[in-house]
Amino acid sequence: MIPGAFEYHRPASLDEAVTLMTNHGDEGRVVAGGHSLIPMMKLRLAVPTHLIDLGNLADLKGIRAVGKAVEIGAMTTQHDLIASDLLAETCPILREVALTIADPQVRYCGTVGGNVANGDPGNDMPAVMQCLGASFMLRGPKGARQVAARAFYEAAYFTARKDDEILTAISIPLPAQGHGYAYEKLKRKVGDYAIAAAAVVLAMDGGKCKSAAIALTNVGETPIFAEAAGNSLVGTAVDDGAIAKAVAAAKAVAKPAADMRGPQDYRSHAAGVMVERAIKRALTRAKR
Amino acid sequence: MNKVAVKMTVNGQAVEGRVEPRLLLIHFLRDNLSLTGPHVGCETSHCGACTVDLDGKSVKSCTIFAVQAEGANLTTIEGMANADGTLSALQEGFMQEHGLQCGYCTPGMIMRAHRLLQENPNPSEAEIRMGLSGNLCRCTGYQNIVKAVRYAADKLNGRREAAE
Amino acid sequence: MSNATEMTLEQREATIGGIGCARRRKEDVRFIQGKGNYVDDVKLPGQVFGDFVRSPHAHARIKSIDTTKAKAVPGVLAVLTAADLKPLNLHWMPTLAGDTQAVLADAKVHFQNQEVAFVIGTDRYAVSDGIQAVEVDYEDLPALVDPKQALAKDAPVLREDVAAKDNVGQGPRKHPNHIFNWDVGDKGATDTAFSSAAVTVKEEIFYQRVHPCPLEPCGCVASMDKIKGELTLYGTFQAPHVIRTVVSLISGLAEHKIRVISPDIGGGFGNKVGAYPGYVCSVVASIVLGRPVKWVESRIDNLSTTSFARDYHMTGELAANKDGRITGLRVYVLADHGAFNAHAQPTKWPAGLFSIVTGSYDIPAAHVTVDGVYTNKAPGGVAYRCSFRVTEASYLIERMIDVLAQKVGVDKAEIRARNFVKAEQFPYKSCLGWDYDSGDYHTALDKVLKAVDYKELRKEQAEKRKRGELMGIGIATFTEIVGAGPSRNCDILGIGMFDSCEIRVHPTGSAIARLGTKSQGQGHETTYAQIIATELGIPSDDITVEEGDTDTAPYGLGTYGSRSTPVAGAAAAQAARKIRAKAQKIAAHMLEVAEGDLEWEIDRFKVKGLPEKSATMKQIAFAAYQSVPEGLEPGLEAVNYYDPPNFTYPFGAYLCVVDVDRRTGEVKVRRFYALDDCGTRINPMIIEGQVHGGLTEAFAIAMGQELIFDSNGNIQGASLMDYFLPTAVETPVWETDYTVTPSPHHPIGAKGVGESPNVGGVSAFTNAVVDAFAHLGVTHMPMPHTPWRVWKQCEALGIGE
């Protein structure tokens, strides 16, 4: 219940934050919304001696359209993401996913940056970001770089972000107007980690699928971008046969752990059901 | 153990202290300020018994350090009564509708319900249940809590006369 | 002296706010303003904090404990280990079940997270740092986790401290890991029933280990005043007087020098009955340091080390004729008690009141055998609204009667009606020895079936089955046994299970009552006031009810097992009646008539035939302090210690409708109708609240709760990350109903209701889930009915895709 002792820093600028990260190395951790890190600190599973609070960094807040993309500051809370009219209009899957995360209190504090950066296989945003083809902007002592969400996750709690880098923003290429989307999450209770979840974004044209992306949550060490499954829908009418093929392809790449949520075969099966339901729901929303 | 200064407003009063950075806000409230209304029911941020209202947000005060609340404006259950000392509509609703039994979840539940009604002044039953999904109760089964929140919503919207 | 009746009879009744009135609760006022006083709110001058170093191993020898570094941590004041408690003989303490339990692990640890050292410091942050710095060297031992292996020849011996004993407090035992064998009923008659039966069924029914998980964890503040030699102990105690006696017995402090105070308690559900190491260590630390010491556990501590519930591996068998009329019941139970036999229960009953297992049915012959065993798990067993193992018993019989119904092809409501004890058979003596006070099971079930239109539901189910959809209807018609209990067969540590109430009426007509029970949310400050209000004609608003301070409350055995209303509620009525009897004498004196000329009406004595001549209780109260008749003492008070002549037997009929998603295994509760009969209903609003809460616990147990262990004894799921506590979103809407069949032996006919919903609810849920698959030949499905388990059943039947 009680964290270890640490020195608290509240940098006023991104440069200052990066410098602190570099100086403190292993001993330093950034805190964004705190609702992943602080519970771990309370169980002493994380014991940073320097805590670098990103809360003052105005640079990391805000949601704005940037050309054909939308850019979300890493410190945007789930609550603000849900409230964003811009996102509701241009990328509504984000709101749908955010509402499945935790509970209202956690959503007031938890940030989308934190949810994508910490590499917890149970987090919901990573798979959705992969589905959307998002990129994460990182800033370190050597400068800024971008990493595609689809290339960001290496293993549970291991990502492409180096220890001295801070994830500053997420850039999402806007899905086509009239796209269909859905996030289907099977869970034991509201806000819980998924038993299995599937994100689907697709676009139709003249009754045929023009583009489709499918990604899975919590059925592997990392989010799983089911590339072949998504590709298999392209060019089809997304009929039952095509859906079944996509489901099989998605299940083939699911590698769930067995835990209290269920054994592996169940979770793979559940992933398949979620993919199927997500595709069907996305289809109802897509402009044909 | 370095201590740092911290200042905030709690229930309309300016307060300050010298605290370790690792001091959780819930402990600052309960131990330093003797506001024992918010409670601790778990250490994994699930139960919501510690919920307070901070700068217009419902926040689990066990998952934020006191130093992170520097300059913030907080309300706890102790600050919920009306300015004239009468009970707020929510407090009245909880009593009228038997929305509490042991009372341990009640302060957090009322603080969350308070913010919920700011977000959504006329919530449906489903919206109330979803809105309270971060607050656990082991005694009531939630049914009367939902009624209590509806009572308050009705009263605040002028659809209900004051109780005796 | 005479008063014109300004108010009507109805108005006077309403003013009294007595039995039957859904009046709002008196205790709410402080809780809704954050002014409750729970243990962690207690702050005494000079108070310090203590907490435990806990074993990561389930079974290990302790080779050494080095506290040097810990003692050097800033803010740490002391570290206690078993070695420090040994000279006081407090490193072990007696349990409420006749065994001994380690306070701090002495040479060996027996379950994961067991207490090994107690670190005391100026605040909880320093203590937490100190705990990190204690170095313990363990030698790992093979863990015994499967109770079925406990009695094997080559099983590891867990309790080396009692290995040589052939009795650990509950009769002879046959193996070092064996605790007791309990046998009840008529084996011969039962065997005959089975061998001659037209139909027999048998099922393995496991009631999984769960935990009551009240929102407030356990804790205490111990404050030893060295000058006066007096100990004050605040704590989460459902039975404060028992704690006082236990502390006296183990510490050597005389009982009059110990004051135990249970302040407000944030939920108990049986989790807060026994004495935990935290209490003992806090007391010792306070004595050693001469300062108040506070201990409050974490949620993980609570779930993994305090009193768990259930863990009964049951084998049920029924013998019946082809119409489903039961002729015999046989039950074998393997009870996993964890590492110490430490649950709270009447001493003569090692399996609690499990022999209520014949339930609502007129069963001519039954035989029950229970073997309790040790395993490398936390101790406990009797908890979580169980009425002393009644939850397990009721689950067994309600499942078995459904199994039988499926075997003989009789409808599950009909088979119950065929087997019910009939209303005219009461008082009814069960073949296992219980005297059921009153009941009317047919009326209750009929009312429920009518309310839900049962025939329509079965029709709908048949149609859905044709379409391959899974819909289940679960019925539970339970009778449970509460109100422990008659001291001739109920005692805890030898103290009879009576309870008490002391009432004092003040000169200006209001009153204070103190009782030996202790509410943890059940509304006693309101309900006891209502009983007394009806008996005394004083408004319940004018009656203060206090519990929990052993310096002022008369001795009682506390609140658990739904015993408050049956026992202390009776004491309240009896004490009030003593007062009213004296009041009648005073009124006669005031009105200058003979006692026999007076009759009682709501709030006053009236002279028969002269209604304008009356004396209200308020007037009598003043007179009691002013001028009493010759031979009477002044004042107006009484105390009653009530030794109940019998238990009470609340009952109910519950019906649950579920729809199962065969592709995900999710179970949706469509409807839950709960009819309870708790005899006289003191406050309908509070009863309904108890039912809602108990059903929600039952829902959690049936649908998601379990504490499991891997082969090394590591506990899984002991935090709220995994332990299933439903939110307002998952929790179904409850429909409640009632009948009233008063208890003939209780002064106000009330039976108690708090645990009924957990007792009946779990059976209703499981019966519903199994019923959804019954047409496919499924007879039982083990709890909890998590989506993966239900899906596994679907898959096994080839319908999971």
Side-chain angles (χ1 to χ4, degrees), chain C residues 474-549:
Chain C
I475 299 170
T477 45
F478 64 94
T479 293
E480 70 142 338
I481 171 173
V482 300
S487 60
R488 65 177 177 277
N489 52 19
C490 284
D491 71 274
I492 291 196
L493 290 184
I495 299 174
M497 293 185 72
F498 57 85
D499 226 283
S500 60
C501 176
E502 176 191 283
I503 306 171
R504 176 172 302 141
V505 182
H506 305 313
T508 47
S510 60
I512 182 165
R514 293 174 167 130
L515 299 101
T517 49
K518 176 62 205 167
S519 178
Q520 320 106 45
Q522 295 92 326
H524 292 177
E525 288 170 41
T526 305
T527 52
Y528 287 139
Q530 289 180 255
I531 295 173
I532 297 166
T534 294
E535 295 290 338
L536 287 187
I538 294 174
S540 50
D541 271 342
D542 294 349
I543 302 168
T544 291
V545 171
E546 281 184 0
E547 293 171 303
D549 184 337

Side-chain angles (χ1 to χ4, degrees), chain C residues 4-247:
Chain C
T5 34
E6 315 90 351
M7 291 197 281
T8 64
L9 288 173
E10 288 84 12
Q11 287 170 328
R12 280 160 58 197
E13 284 278 15
T15 305
I16 293 303
I19 293 173
C21 173
R23 59 152 297 151
R24 303 309 186 261
R25 298 193 332 165
K26 304 175 75 191
E27 46 265 84
D28 286 0
V29 154
R30 62 185 183 275
F31 295 134
I32 56 180
Q33 300 187 75
K35 295 299 182 190
N37 187 35
Y38 303 90
V39 166
D40 196 33
D41 301 343
V42 173
K43 199 154 58 169
L44 302 180
Q47 179 178 290
V48 298
F49 203 78
D51 200 359
F52 288 103
V53 174
R54 294 179 178 276
S55 167
H57 302 282
H59 195 203
R61 297 199 193 286
I62 297 177
K63 306 223 332 253
S64 65
I65 304 177
D66 188 349
T67 61
T68 332
K69 291 204 180 100
K71 286 178 175 146
V73 169
V76 170
L77 299 170
V79 182
L80 297 177
T81 64
D84 299 300
L85 299 181
K86 230 177 252 192
L88 308 162
N89 207 28
L90 281 175
H91 54 314
W92 289 85
M93 62 175 171
T95 72
L96 295 178
D99 195 0
T100 48
Q101 168 178 6
V103 173
L104 287 173
D106 176 26
K108 221 186 153 191
V109 292
H110 294 88
F111 60 92
Q112 189 177 50
N113 290 345
Q114 185 182 350
E115 301 85 357
V116 171
F118 191 62
V119 176
I120 305 120
T122 49
D123 64 85
R124 58 189 105 213
Y125 284 66
V127 168
S128 181
D129 293 340
I131 288 170
Q132 302 292 312
V134 174
E135 294 168 315
V136 186
D137 194 10
Y138 296 99
E139 179 196 308
D140 217 356
L141 296 169
L144 176 66
V145 172
D146 181 356
K148 298 188 178 92
Q149 302 303 318
L151 302 181
K153 260 219 197 80
D154 56 351
V157 172
L158 303 191
R159 295 288 305 280
E160 289 168 357
D161 59 295
V162 294
K165 292 187 172 174
D166 59 10
N167 181 325
V168 285
Q170 312 253 232
R173 65 194 195 124
K174 61 191 181 208
H175 184 287
N177 292 333
H178 190 219
I179 304 173
F180 66 85
N181 172 273
W182 188 59
D183 194 283
V184 67
D186 188 333
K187 182 174 192 306
T190 305
D191 287 347
T192 305
F194 274 87
S195 55
S196 58
V199 175
T200 62
V201 287
K202 182 172 180 172
E203 200 70 58
E204 301 293 327
I205 298 187
F206 173 49
Y207 201 139
Q208 79 279 24
R209 176 176 286 231
V210 288
H211 191 284
C213 199
L215 200 62
E216 179 208 25
C218 301
C220 70
V221 179
S223 181
M224 184 68 194
D225 179 327
K226 283 183 137 160
I227 305 224
K228 293 187 191 170
E230 289 173 359
L231 172 69
T232 304
L233 180 62
Y234 294 84
T236 48
F237 307 131
Q238 293 178 232
H241 292 90
V242 174
I243 294 288
R244 187 187 72 190
T245 304
V246 166
V247 170

Side-chain angles (χ1 to χ4, degrees), chain A residues 2-4 43-44 186-190 192-193 195 251 260-263 265-266 269 273-274 276-277, chain C residues 125 128-129 132 300 661 663-664 666 716-717 721-722 724-725 727 729-730 787-788 791-792 800-801:
Chain A
I2 309 293
L43 295 173
R44 302 222 182 190
L186 181 63
K187 64 248 183 243
R188 298 173 307 173
K189 67 182 211 182
V190 70
D192 197 16
Y193 281 157
I195 294 171
K251 281 170 73 171
M260 293 197 73
R261 287 169 188 78
D265 58 348
Y266 170 69
H269 163 83
V273 177
M274 293 300 104
E276 179 186 318
R277 291 182 182 175
Chain C
Y125 284 66
S128 181
D129 293 340
Q132 302 292 312
I300 292 173
D661 181 334
R663 300 187 67 211
T664 62
E666 288 168 296
Q716 318 283 306
M721 181 92 63
D722 293 303
F724 179 63
L725 294 190
T727 70
V729 172
E730 295 76 44
W788 76 261
W791 180 76
K792 279 286 188 183
E801 273 312 312

Side-chain angles (χ1 to χ4, degrees), chain B residues 56-113:
Chain B
K57 303 176 281 192
S58 295
V59 172
K60 292 182 177 179
S61 63
C62 73
T63 315
I64 170 173
F65 299 111
V67 293
Q68 291 183 289
E70 172 69 29
N73 191 357
L74 275 80
T75 311
T76 69
I77 185 70
E78 290 93 338
M80 272 302 286
N82 296 323
D84 62 359
T86 55
L87 292 176
S88 64
L90 271 169
Q91 288 168 306
E92 197 182 294
F94 270 72
M95 180 150 170
Q96 290 303 314
E97 299 293 344
H98 191 35
L100 65 147
Q101 291 181 27
C102 81
Y104 201 74
C105 77
T106 308
M109 195 70 76
I110 289 180
M111 291 322 297
R112 172 57 200 147

Side-chain angles (χ1 to χ4, degrees), chain C residues 415-578:
Chain C
I415 199 170
R416 287 170 162 82
R418 288 183 190 176
N419 281 287
F420 275 158
V421 176
K422 299 187 188 54
E424 53 270 25
Q425 287 179 272
F426 286 91
Y428 168 80
K429 192 174 187 82
S430 81
C431 69
L432 291 178
W434 295 114
D435 293 301
Y436 292 27
D437 57 359
S438 67
D440 187 352
Y441 306 142
H442 287 97
T443 301
L445 180 58
D446 287 344
K447 197 169 183 211
V448 172
L449 297 179
K450 185 148 174 254
V452 304
D453 198 350
Y454 180 68
K455 288 205 184 65
E456 261 321 295
L457 285 173
R458 284 294 179 199
K459 249 179 78 187
E460 183 194 348
Q461 183 184 48
E463 281 158 23
K464 282 201 146 88
R465 282 173 169 173
K466 291 199 193 99
R467 297 198 295 272
E469 290 168 37
L470 300 171
M471 169 188 164
I473 303 169
I475 299 170
T477 45
F478 64 94
T479 293
E480 70 142 338
I481 171 173
V482 300
S487 60
R488 65 177 177 277
N489 52 19
C490 284
D491 71 274
I492 291 196
L493 290 184
I495 299 174
M497 293 185 72
F498 57 85
D499 226 283
S500 60
C501 176
E502 176 191 283
I503 306 171
R504 176 172 302 141
V505 182
H506 305 313
T508 47
S510 60
I512 182 165
R514 293 174 167 130
L515 299 101
T517 49
K518 176 62 205 167
S519 178
Q520 320 106 45
Q522 295 92 326
H524 292 177
E525 288 170 41
T526 305
T527 52
Y528 287 139
Q530 289 180 255
I531 295 173
I532 297 166
T534 294
E535 295 290 338
L536 287 187
I538 294 174
S540 50
D541 271 342
D542 294 349
I543 302 168
T544 291
V545 171
E546 281 184 0
E547 293 171 303
D549 184 337
T550 61
D551 264 8
T552 51
Y555 203 101
L557 276 287
T559 293
Y560 42 82
S562 302
R563 63 186 300 277
S564 302
T565 293
V567 192
Q574 301 292 62
R577 288 172 191 181
K578 285 190 199 178

Side-chain angles (χ1 to χ4, degrees), chain A residues 1-8 10 34-35 38-39 41-44 51 53 99 103-105 108-109 190, chain B residues 2 21-22 24 27 40 42-43 45 51 57-60 62-63 65 67-68 112 115 119 130-131 133-135:
Chain A
M1 175 77 192
I2 309 293
F6 57 83
E7 251 188 74
Y8 178 69
R10 205 169 167 108
H35 280 55
I38 295 177
M41 289 174 69
K42 286 162 71 175
L43 295 173
R44 302 222 182 190
L51 201 65
D53 191 336
L99 284 167
D103 59 59
Q105 288 94 310
Y108 264 117
C109 289
V190 70
Chain B
N2 299 330
R22 64 172 169 166
L24 297 167
H27 291 139
V40 175
C42 76
E43 60 272 17
S45 309
T51 302
K57 303 176 281 192
S58 295
V59 172
K60 292 182 177 179
C62 73
T63 315
F65 299 111
V67 293
Q68 291 183 289
R112 172 57 200 147
R115 183 49 50 191
E119 296 160 2
M130 185 67 177
S133 61
N135 290 76

